[in-house]
Structure formats: C-alpha cells, structure tokens
Amino acid sequence: MENDAIIKIENLIKRFPVGKTEFTALKNVNISFGTGEFAGLVGPSGSGKTTLLNIIGSLDSPSEGEVIVLGKNVSLLTHKQSAVLRNRHIGFIFQTYNLLPVYSVYENVEFALLLQNMSGSERKKAVMAALEWVGLTEKVKSRPSMLSGGECQRVAIARSMVKRPEIVLADEPTANLDSSNSHNILQTMKNLNRELNTTFIFATHDEKVMKYLNRIISLEDGKVVKDLLMPDSKN
Amino acid sequence: MLAFKLAFKNLMGAGLRTWLNVSVLSFAFVIIVFYNGMIDGWNRQSRIDTRNWEIGDGQYWHPGYDRLDAYTINDAHQVMSDEILSDVKNKNLAPVLIAQATAYPLGRMEGVLLKGIDPEQIILKLPSDKLKPSDDHDYAIIGKRMAESAKLKMGDKLLIRWRDKNGTFDAREIEIASIFKCDVPNVDKGQIYLRLDVLQKMMGMGNEATLLVAGNGFQTRNLKNWDLKNSDFLMSDIDRIIQAKKAGGSIIEGLLLIIALIAIFDTQVLSIFRRQKEIGTYIALGMTRPQVVGIFTVEGAAYSILATLLGAAYGIPLFMLIDKLGISMKAARTTDLPVAEKIFPYYSFNLILITIIIVIISATIVSYMPARKISKMKPTDALKGKLA
Ligand SMILES: Nc1ncnc2c1ncn2[C@@H]1O[C@H](COP(=O)(O)OP(=O)(O)OP(=O)(O)O)[C@@H](O)[C@H]1O
Ligand SMILES: [Mg+2]
C-alpha cells in the first residue's frame, strides 16, 4: 500500500502568524492515501481539517515537513506548476458550492477544461458525461441562482470530476444540505469513486458522511489521534 | 479570450451598476469626440472662409506693411511691375491698396480702412463686381458688421475724409452699392471697399498696391520688393485660438473622463472585495493569480469597449442630426475669429481612434490598479472571503 500512495504526508507542521506570535494549526502530521480511497478527516472545529485539505490541494504551503502529491513535493512547486496540478489532477468541492454565478450549469462545469487545450467536441463530450453522472443533463442552461442547494452541489461535483482528476478534496460538502440531498450526493460521489477509482478526501463533522467513508482520520488540536479503516462502510 | 468571455458575462450579470459605469464613460467619450469635432469643424470652416475672403492662397506684402500696425499703412504702397500686372490681368493676383480714412456716418466720426480692390478680381469672394465704374458716383461695398455698426443700408451715402500721398486732406461722398455677408471679421469690421483705380486716384498712388493676394492659379515664386506670406503665417492667429480652445476644452474633457474612471475604479475595488470567494474558486480551478488579475482587468477594460459601443449607439445618430442642422454660433460671433453662423462638426477618423484608445487605456489602467491586489491574496483567505 505504501508504494502506490497517491498522497504522502510526512512530519507536516503548519503555523500561521497571529499578530506577533504564531499559531500551530497542524502539529507533525503523518498520513498516506492510496489510490481510490474514500477517506474523511473528522474532528472538532479548529482541529485543522481545512488547513490539511488546503495544503494537499496546494492552495497553502507547509511550514515544515513534506507533502508529496502525485509524486510531486508541493513545497517545491512554482505558482504555475501548482495551478496546473489543481487544474488537471485535483478537484475541489466546497461547503458553499462556489459556483460562478454568471455562468450556466454547463459553463460552470466546462470552466476547468477551458484552461486546458481541449478541442470543443471533446470538451462537450466530457461536460455532458459529467452532468450525466450527477443527473443534471436537463439543467444545462440554468444559472446557479435557479438551482436548489443539492443541485448546486451536484454541479460542483460535476465540475470537480469533469477533468477526471486523481484526487477530489471535499470540505464539508453536505453541511448546507438536508439529509436526503446529502445522501444523494454522497451516493453520487461513492459511485464515481468506484467507477473512476478517484481518491476522495473529505473534511466533515457530518455523521451521514462518515457512514460512507472507508477510512476515518480523526484530528484533534492539529494532530492525528485516530486513523481507522471502515470495512463495513455503506456500499 | 476566456478572460473576455468571462468579463462580459460578469458585466452583464452585474446589471445596473455596469450600465451606470458604461453610461458615464460613454458620455465622456461622446463629449470628447463632439467637442473636438466641433472645434475641428470650426477650424476647417474658418480656414476655408479666411482663405476665400481674406488671404487667398497666400499674399505678397509691401516690405513695410504690418497688418497689426496701422501706422505702417501710410508708407506701405508701391508700384506694381509689369510682371505683376500681367498676373493681375490673368486673375492670378488680386492687388489691394489700403489707406486710412475717417468716415462720418450719421454725423459721428469713425476711423476706417479704405481698401481698393480690382473689380474684376475673382480670387476673393468679395462682390467686387458691384463696384461699377461711374463718373459721378463713387461706389463702395461693405460687410454686414460694418453696415450694422455704422447703421448703413444699400444706397446710403457716406462722407469720407482722407489725406492723400502728399498729406493734403480731401473729402467726398460715397454710395454703398452692396452689403456682403461674410464670416471673417477681419475683412468686414471698419472697412470700406472701393475700386482700386478710384482709391489710387484719391490717394495719388497710380498703379500702386499695398499687398497682392495670390489665387490658386498663381505660381508661387519670389516677387522683387514684395514679401511672400504663406497661408500658415497668415492663419497663425486662427491656429493659436483653436489651440487655446482645444486646451480649454480638454480640461472639461479630462474631468469628465476622470469622473468616469473613478466610477470604474470604485466598482473594481468593491467588486474585488465582494468577489474574493470567486477569486479563490478561480485559483482552486487551476488559474494562476496573474490570470485572475487578467480577468478582472479585462472586466474593467470591457467597460470602455461597451462604452464605445453605447456611445456609438446614441452618438452616431446624434452626430448625424447635428451634421444636418449645424450648431448655431450666433453667441460666439462677437469675437474677432471667423465664426460661421452655423458650425458643422468634423469628426476625423484620427480623432475617434485616439479617443477610443485613450478611453480603453485609461479604463484598463484603473481596472488593473485594484486588480493587482489579487496577486497578493492568499487563495485560502480568498476562499474564506477574508479581506487580504
Ligand atoms: N490564515 C490563518 N491565520 C491564522 N490562523 C488560522 C488561519 N487559518 C486557520 N487558522 C487556525 O488554524 C486552526 C485550524 O483551522 P481549520 O480551518 O483548519 O479548522 P477546521 O478543522 O477546518 O475547523 P472547522 O470544522 O470549523 O472548519 C484554527 O484554530 C484556525 O483559527
Ligand atoms: Mg474547516
């Protein structure tokens, strides 16, 4: 398992400057993720879940230690290289969906592909396939403001998956959704995880999410306190 | 291209605010084009009028003549050579003899310039053909301004008194044969036109002239004892005043443009503050920060493109209408500059192009300034919506 780790975190420390002092948000974190995991970071508010996801997604950088994502040390990437890493290999899903309000559903999903050199017909095929995964082919022309919360999050999932990334990072994806919508999108993600062998990492408080996870990593005060495999996860 | 597409979508999405900014900017744009077009139109018109009524295609002056100094007139006259006379005959040169005199309209006393012109001349638009030869009448033509200030009508008689070449006073009555309408004050105010031969006789200056006006058939060359004054020299007054008007106008234009740019700047600052999450999302989706700066800059610059389009949408019909009607310049006609009753603005391609470029560049700069802040933003803070 160690050898084909898609993400390898060693002795990660993250400090934030707070006034004149520093606050240590992650204290010597060591974890690895293998391809196709459906894993979750859980823990109380302020325990460092979002911070860890941001570092994996190279939106933020480690203060100390090594974070290797897809064989690349994120500390050593230039801005451009980390942008390419995010554009091609990492999908993000946010609690607040973060759809581009002036774009239609179709265009929101298409966006990441526009940054790549992809032909129009290829792009269209990819976008329609992604919208099919999340069951939104009927709403291609809608604006985000016309959609329900659950639908918005499904668009966000399609947007993160359309480029078929190796890794999807989802920060509290169900926090704004009711129970049936939560189950719906979790099921969708779980299916994609199986079909495309995409690695999903969640940050969550949500019990509903935990039922789907096949690995739960508990953080407390910036440290990993538990790392459990869940053989009897849903589906 | 992605940046342009996104920029326009965002602008359309922003609705009223966009149109407010675009309107203000387009207004500045239209005013700049219109004002400069008017000045250019005026410039062209006054040059054409000045050429047609006063200076022709250049003049030859008696070396002692200075049009700004009345004292030079007494001595500034000389005999025309045969070479010159043959050009006069061929209507390539129009001689003008100038003399000082006093007129007595309605018992008042008024200093005037007597100008003797060849009745056959066709170089200047002056209706010199109205100066018919007559043994018992001395006909004169005057301009509308002169007629108004001296309260003279056609057929009126006017007493004039002058000193001839030898300093002897003489006086006689002349009859107004025609009153011409002309937009060049210089050829009108305080001036009375007589037949050249009549004035020459009055002054005792047979065959003499003060200056020669060249027509377009005249081959420009040096004439012995005459100083060539080209159109540029003769129109330098117009140039100076036009430049001053342009400079004066550019202050207002600049202010208008600045107001429009401040509106854009303000919108941009607010928009970057409010759309941090969107900025974070762009970065999460794999855009580099310079690319995001680009999107926001293009968005601001797009205001100027929309403003150009909007300005064209109402400016072109407006300008076409003005072009039909002309702009009444009655109020401005008190100046000494040639001003037609109506001015027809002239919009050169250069004027419009330069205005568009200035508007686009300045809008891009004021959009870039706040957008630059994005490149210092941490994507994680942007995603949280925290002000960096
Ligand atoms: N930019 C920052 N500057 C200073 N402190 C920060 C910054 N970002 C995060 N922190 C601190 O680091 C700690 C971990 O934050 P993080 O957002 O990772 O928590 P979390 O586990 O995601 O919490 P929640 O469940 O509330 O989302 C918090 O105490 C937070 O205050
Ligand atoms: Mg969090």
Side-chain angles (χ1 to χ4, degrees):
Chain A
M1 201 64 181
E2 272 301 294
N3 286 339
D4 63 341
I6 192 167
I7 299 165
K8 216 157 110 191
I9 300 169
E10 276 174 5
N11 307 320
L12 170 63
I13 296 175
K14 178 66 187 177
R15 298 186 203 96
F16 290 111
V18 180
K20 284 194 175 128
T21 59
E22 279 182 332
F23 175 83
T24 309
L26 294 173
K27 300 166 182 167
N28 207 29
V29 171
N30 290 280
I31 336 173
S32 288
F33 295 93
T35 302
E37 282 201 54
F38 205 72
L41 307 170
V42 302
S45 184
S47 55
K49 307 182 291 291
T50 299
T51 305
L52 185 52
L53 279 192
N54 285 341
I55 291 173
I56 295 170
S58 86
L59 290 170
D60 210 342
S61 50
S63 304
E64 273 178 45
E66 270 196 349
V67 175
I68 312 285
V69 176
L70 294 163
K72 295 189 178 81
N73 186 335
V74 294
S75 313
L76 304 178
L77 296 179
T78 63
H79 280 306
K80 219 170 173 175
Q81 288 168 326
S82 71
V84 170
L85 178 70
R86 286 191 295 272
N87 181 235
R88 295 185 178 261
H89 305 290
I90 301 176
F92 289 88
I93 296 171
F94 305 96
Q95 177 178 343
T96 49
Y97 326 131
N98 293 19
L99 300 178
L100 304 173
V102 297
Y103 267 17
S104 67
V105 164
Y106 183 93
E107 290 164 328
N108 261 285
V109 175
E110 188 188 27
F111 189 89
L113 302 183
L114 291 174
L115 299 173
Q116 306 175 1
N117 302 323
M118 196 182 260
S119 76
S121 59
E122 244 182 306
R123 219 161 49 219
K124 185 159 189 204
K125 232 164 57 191
V127 173
M128 289 316 288
L131 286 170
E132 206 150 314
W133 294 333
V134 298
L136 276 177
T137 44
E138 308 281 285
K139 304 250 176 180
V140 283
K141 291 209 171 88
S142 305
R143 308 258 141 181
S145 58
M146 297 149 71
L147 301 178
S148 72
E151 285 169 331
C152 282
Q153 199 58 301
R154 273 147 64 196
V155 176
I157 294 169
R159 178 174 69 179
S160 69
M161 292 301 300
V162 70
K163 55 200 180 187
R164 302 187 183 230
E166 286 86 342
I167 301 161
V168 170
L169 305 173
D171 197 350
E172 317 267 12
T174 57
N176 285 359
L177 299 178
D178 64 22
S179 148
S180 77
N181 268 315
S182 298
H183 282 294
N184 181 311
I185 69 143
L186 281 163
Q187 196 57 57
T188 305
M189 288 192 275
K190 186 89 202 186
N191 291 345
L192 288 166
N193 162 253
R194 286 246 199 67
E195 269 174 53
L196 305 172
N197 208 23
T198 311
T199 305
F200 278 77
I201 304 175
F202 295 83
T204 189
H205 300 284
D206 189 348
E207 296 289 333
K208 294 186 290 298
V209 177
M210 293 180 211
K211 283 189 206 132
Y212 287 83
L213 300 175
N214 54 27
R215 179 179 173 192
I216 295 180
I217 299 156
S218 302
L219 287 179
E220 240 168 67
D221 196 19
K223 282 179 284 213
V224 177
V225 291
K226 247 191 282 175
D227 188 346
L228 295 174
L229 290 178
M230 315 298 288
D232 55 350
S233 68
K234 243 185 174 178
N235 299 289
Chain B
M1 274 309 101
L2 179 62
F4 274 95
K5 198 174 154 200
L6 199 60
F8 279 102
K9 286 213 173 241
N10 279 327
L11 288 183
M12 295 306 167
L16 190 63
R17 183 188 305 279
T18 298
W19 290 113
L20 226 60
N21 282 336
V22 168
S23 305
V24 176
L25 192 59
S26 81
F27 184 65
F29 173 66
V30 168
I31 292 284
I32 291 173
V33 170
F34 173 69
Y35 185 81
N36 283 295
M38 220 171 83
I39 298 274
D40 285 350
W42 179 15
N43 188 10
R44 276 163 69 94
Q45 223 160 326
S46 32
R47 283 173 164 274
I48 292 170
D49 284 343
T50 302
R51 188 203 158 282
N52 288 343
W53 286 90
E54 186 185 1
I55 66 172
D57 286 326
Q59 296 182 340
Y60 289 89
W61 288 4
H62 178 284
Y65 175 66
D66 179 351
R67 60 176 166 173
L68 300 176
D69 183 358
Y71 291 109
T72 62
I73 290 171
N74 285 338
D75 298 323
H77 51 87
Q78 61 186 345
V79 173
M80 292 177 276
S81 66
D82 289 344
E83 181 197 358
I84 291 172
L85 286 173
S86 97
D87 269 312
V88 171
K89 201 156 178 246
N90 294 332
K91 308 211 160 52
N92 288 330
L93 283 176
V96 179
L97 179 64
I98 307 177
Q100 280 181 298
T102 311
Y104 296 88
L106 302 166
R108 284 187 295 120
M109 208 171 101
E110 196 181 325
V112 293
L113 283 184
L114 300 179
K115 286 190 171 172
I117 50 166
D118 177 7
E120 323 259 81
Q121 70 81 26
I122 51 164
I123 294 171
L124 300 177
K125 265 183 152 177
L126 293 163
S128 47
D129 55 330
K130 297 272 164 48
L131 296 167
K132 299 209 178 64
S134 162
D135 288 336
D136 49 355
H137 271 81
D138 284 317
Y139 288 114
I141 56 173
I142 56 174
K144 222 176 134 200
R145 286 180 185 78
M146 176 68 187
E148 274 164 15
S149 78
K151 305 217 164 43
L152 289 167
K153 298 185 302 297
M154 244 170 83
D156 280 358
K157 301 245 164 62
L158 178 67
L159 180 68
I160 50 169
R161 192 163 170 265
W162 73 94
R163 282 157 82 127
D164 71 11
K165 194 172 162 183
N166 305 316
T168 318
F169 277 105
D170 199 350
R172 75 170 66 165
E173 238 179 11
I174 52 167
E175 183 179 330
I176 307 301
S178 172
I179 295 173
F180 58 84
K181 218 176 130 254
C182 157
D183 294 324
V184 187
N186 274 349
V187 306
D188 178 340
K189 274 187 178 166
Q191 297 177 50
I192 296 172
Y193 291 83
L194 301 167
R195 289 177 67 91
L196 180 62
D197 53 349
V198 168
L199 188 60
Q200 281 170 342
K201 222 177 283 162
M202 282 161 62
M203 300 301 295
M205 299 173 182
N207 244 346
E208 294 190 34
T210 304
L211 57 87
L212 311 166
V213 182
N216 60 6
F218 183 76
Q219 228 186 340
T220 307
R221 57 182 189 266
N222 284 326
L223 296 178
K224 208 175 161 220
N225 295 330
W226 295 91
D227 288 352
L228 172 62
K229 307 286 174 185
N230 63 18
S231 309
D232 285 348
F233 171 81
L234 295 167
M235 295 215 204
S236 58
D237 276 359
I238 298 180
D239 289 340
R240 219 187 50 244
I241 294 174
I242 291 288
Q243 280 313 315
K245 293 267 170 208
K246 275 201 174 169
S250 60
I251 294 174
I252 295 171
E253 290 161 17
L255 277 177
L256 261 175
L257 191 60
I258 286 171
I259 291 171
L261 294 177
I262 287 174
I264 295 179
F265 183 83
D266 209 50
T267 306
Q268 286 290 99
V269 170
L270 192 71
S271 145
I272 286 161
F273 177 75
R274 289 197 317 188
R275 288 158 61 190
Q276 289 179 65
K277 216 176 208 179
E278 185 182 330
I279 292 167
T281 307
Y282 289 136
I283 295 172
L285 288 173
M287 283 190 129
T288 61
R289 279 182 283 193
Q291 274 177 311
V292 182
V293 171
I295 285 187
F296 278 76
T297 305
V298 168
E299 208 172 295
Y303 282 117
S304 57
I305 294 166
L306 291 178
T308 307
L309 295 178
L310 181 67
Y314 67 79
I316 289 174
L318 186 73
F319 291 169
M320 269 159 57
L321 187 72
I322 290 171
D323 218 43
K324 266 223 179 94
L325 302 178
I327 295 212
S328 174
M329 293 301 289
K330 291 230 168 72
R333 278 164 66 84
T334 49
T335 60
D336 280 341
L337 202 70
V339 184
E341 237 163 61
K342 277 181 174 178
I343 281 191
F344 296 91
Y346 174 75
Y347 311 105
S348 66
F349 177 72
N350 271 358
L351 165 65
I352 293 170
L353 190 72
I354 288 172
T355 312
I356 291 178
I357 290 174
I358 289 175
V359 167
I360 290 182
I361 289 182
S362 51
T364 307
I365 292 171
V366 293
S367 309
Y368 174 69
M369 288 189 311
R372 232 176 12 176
K373 225 176 143 183
I374 294 170
S375 60
K376 294 193 196 97
M377 245 182 225
K378 286 178 68 183
T380 49
D381 288 341
L383 277 168
K384 267 188 237 166
K386 264 208 273 186
L387 183 64

